[in-house]
Amino acid sequence: MRLIPILTAIVVSAVLYLLVMERDLLFQVAQEGVAPLQERVEELTGDAQPPTGADTADTAAPADTQTAQTAAQQPPAQENAQQVVSVVAQRSTARTVDSAVILRGETQAYRQVEARAETSGQVISQPLRKGAEISKDEILCKIDAGTRQAALKEAESRLAEARARVPEAQSRVEEAKARLEEARINDNAASKLSVEGFASGTRVATAHANLRSAEAAVQTAKAGLQGAQSAIQSAEAAVAAARKEIERLTISAPFAGLLESDTAEVGSLLQPGGLCATVIQLDPIKLVGFVPETEVGRINIGAPARARLASGDQVQGRVTFLSRSADPTTRTFRVEIEVANPDGAVRDGQTAEIGIAADGARAHLLPASALTLDDDGTLGVRIVGDGDVAAFRPVTLLRDTAEGVLVTGLSDQVDVIVVGQEFVTAGVPLDPTFNEAKP
């Protein structure tokens, strides 16, 4: 049983020796048959017999003469001419493909709000259960009014009282203006009579005093009117505040969506800022990811995007937002994609692999096995160059697909070696057999 492993090891060692140490001999065997291999075996084992006697004499001279003639006729470069290597090549034509930006992200609700109380009071409405669909302005919580209606009535009565004082204040202004006009007439008459000697100085002084008093009465009446008008404005503000307080007793949905939590239970006491319910909108839904700064220039607002969710479902939408400011920690830019979700199948917080379409690129679809490395470790392919000579061309891997790899960096038409590329180097003559590329 131990003989088979030993024999296997001997055969493997022999093959490795031939591939590494006798590579040129293998190429010669491929072209000329097994004769060179037999000569090499005889050389290694010492079984080769040199020609003797007349045969040696007869053949030596012609051989030497022929060798000399051949050496004279052929240039020195042909003495070391490389062997032609048979390879399989593929004629490939470049195609325009979408160069997508790939990133990971998550789904987020289009809108989410916590409906909270703006006043205090006891909840008197029956609760709605989480998961329920609600429409815009639908009542979520209703708080007991208490004495707020009475406060509104009081404010409205004060407003009516303030408005009733305005006519009285206006009449006082008119009365004061009339007395002022009378005082001006009396003062004018007293001044003229005094000039002609028909009125004493005392009468003139009294007329002046009455005029000044009438002017002061007008200013007082106007101030009373302004006070009445200010009382109206104050009463109106009190009425508006009372009505607003009553409006705050009803907490409504700001938009149509789903309840993410139960509404406040009946009988519970809500304080200002107390949570009534959480409402989310899932149609449309957002896909949120973060783009590295090296790729952000390839994304445009409105660009189409696709995403594969962790559940396996695929969705598509368009870019609606691209941040102008990078995250200071990760140096990435937030991008948002809007996706239609009429049935609510996509949930908030699901992981997604997002692909955003960018400008197309000219690429070749090649078998992954055609890729190789040069002596410097550069990724590329070996091609059939002009004159059926091997050449190396570096490539850039665009992405991997089920049919092969998409690479850029080659001319539009190229013959890529797909079988035998590891056995040739740049400048080696080739005998190519061509396979047509898949459409």
Side-chain angles (χ1 to χ4, degrees), residues 56-74:
T56 304
D58 294 338
T59 59
D64 293 341
T65 303
Q66 185 178 2
T67 303
Q69 292 176 354
T70 304
Q73 295 175 358
Q74 295 180 352

Side-chain angles (χ1 to χ4, degrees), residues 38-86:
Q38 292 176 350
E39 293 177 1
R40 180 59 176 166
V41 172
E42 291 175 357
E43 180 183 349
L44 293 176
T45 58
D47 293 339
Q49 298 294 333
T52 59
D55 295 337
T56 304
D58 294 338
T59 59
D64 293 341
T65 303
Q66 185 178 2
T67 303
Q69 292 176 354
T70 304
Q73 295 175 358
Q74 295 180 352
Q78 292 183 359
E79 295 179 357
N80 298 324
Q82 294 178 328
Q83 299 296 325
V84 177
V85 181
S86 297

Side-chain angles (χ1 to χ4, degrees), residues 14 83 122 244 252 257 284 307 339 421:
Q83 299 296 325
Q122 191 177 45
K244 187 64 176 179
S252 304
V339 175
Q421 70 273 16

Side-chain angles (χ1 to χ4, degrees), residues 1 49 79 96 126 128 139 147 149 166 176 206 302 310 358 384 398:
M1 297 302 291
Q49 298 294 333
E79 295 179 357
T96 302
Q126 294 297 323
L128 302 176
I139 296 177
T147 60
Q149 290 291 347
V166 172
T206 301
V384 179
L398 192 60

Side-chain angles (χ1 to χ4, degrees), residues 40 85 104 128 209 265 303 357 359 364 404 413:
R40 180 59 176 166
V85 181
R104 295 186 65 84
L128 302 176
E265 188 65 48
D359 294 335
H364 289 265
Q413 299 286 341

Side-chain angles (χ1 to χ4, degrees), residues 84-95:
V84 177
V85 181
S86 297
V87 295
V88 178
Q90 173 179 302
R91 286 194 170 99
S92 178
T93 302
R95 66 190 71 181

Side-chain angles (χ1 to χ4, degrees), residues 226-240:
Q226 292 179 352
Q229 293 174 342
S230 297
I232 292 176
Q233 294 177 351
S234 178
E236 289 176 345
V239 170

Side-chain angles (χ1 to χ4, degrees), residues 114-374:
E114 293 179 343
R116 297 182 178 272
E118 297 181 78
T119 187
S120 60
Q122 191 177 45
V123 177
I124 59 175
S125 59
Q126 294 297 323
L128 302 176
R129 298 307 175 186
K130 54 188 174 183
E133 294 186 4
I134 57 174
S135 57
K136 188 178 184 300
D137 296 329
E138 183 175 347
I139 296 177
L140 302 178
C141 298
K142 195 167 185 179
I143 300 175
D144 184 21
T147 60
R148 292 176 178 84
Q149 290 291 347
L152 175 60
K153 295 297 183 181
E154 180 181 1
E156 289 175 345
S157 64
R158 290 180 179 177
L159 175 60
E161 181 181 356
R163 288 174 176 172
R165 292 177 181 175
V166 172
E168 179 183 357
Q170 290 177 342
S171 62
R172 289 178 180 176
V173 170
E174 295 300 328
E175 180 183 0
K177 288 181 178 180
R179 290 181 179 179
L180 174 61
E181 185 64 22
E182 181 184 3
R184 285 176 179 171
I185 294 173
N186 292 334
D187 180 66
N188 187 29
S191 297
K192 288 182 178 181
L193 292 174
S194 175
V195 172
E196 295 176 358
F198 295 105
S200 64
T202 303
R203 183 178 176 182
V204 173
T206 301
H208 280 297
N210 292 335
L211 177 61
R212 298 292 178 267
S213 177
E215 291 176 348
V218 170
Q219 296 298 327
T220 301
K222 289 182 177 181
L225 178 60
Q226 292 179 352
Q229 293 174 342
S230 297
I232 292 176
Q233 294 177 351
S234 178
E236 289 176 345
V239 170
R243 289 174 178 173
K244 187 64 176 179
E245 185 70 11
I246 293 176
E247 291 178 4
R248 290 171 178 169
L249 298 175
T250 302
I251 304 175
S252 304
F255 50 81
L258 298 173
L259 281 179
E260 190 65 11
S261 65
D262 293 341
T263 61
E265 188 65 48
V266 59
S268 59
L269 180 63
L270 288 181
Q271 298 292 341
L275 179 64
C276 168
T278 300
V279 183
I280 62 174
Q281 181 179 347
L282 297 180
D283 182 28
I285 199 166
K286 293 188 297 185
L287 300 176
V288 179
F290 292 87
V291 186
E293 54 186 337
T294 56
E295 301 285 344
V296 69
R298 300 175 57 198
I299 299 178
N300 298 315
I301 299 295
R306 302 178 68 92
R308 181 185 293 109
L309 305 180
S311 60
D313 297 333
Q314 292 190 0
V315 295
Q316 58 184 357
R318 291 191 175 274
V319 176
T320 57
F321 172 77
L322 181 61
S323 175
R324 292 286 182 176
S325 176
D327 184 275
T329 303
T330 61
R331 309 304 304 170
T332 56
F333 295 81
R334 180 184 176 97
V335 60
E336 295 182 1
I337 300 161
E338 187 173 307
V339 175
N341 187 31
D343 56 355
V346 182
R347 302 174 183 272
D348 179 28
Q350 288 186 270
T351 303
E353 183 177 357
I354 305 170
I356 302 174
D359 294 335
R362 300 286 292 175
H364 289 265
L365 179 63
L366 301 174
S369 59
L371 299 179
T372 185
L373 300 175
D374 66 358

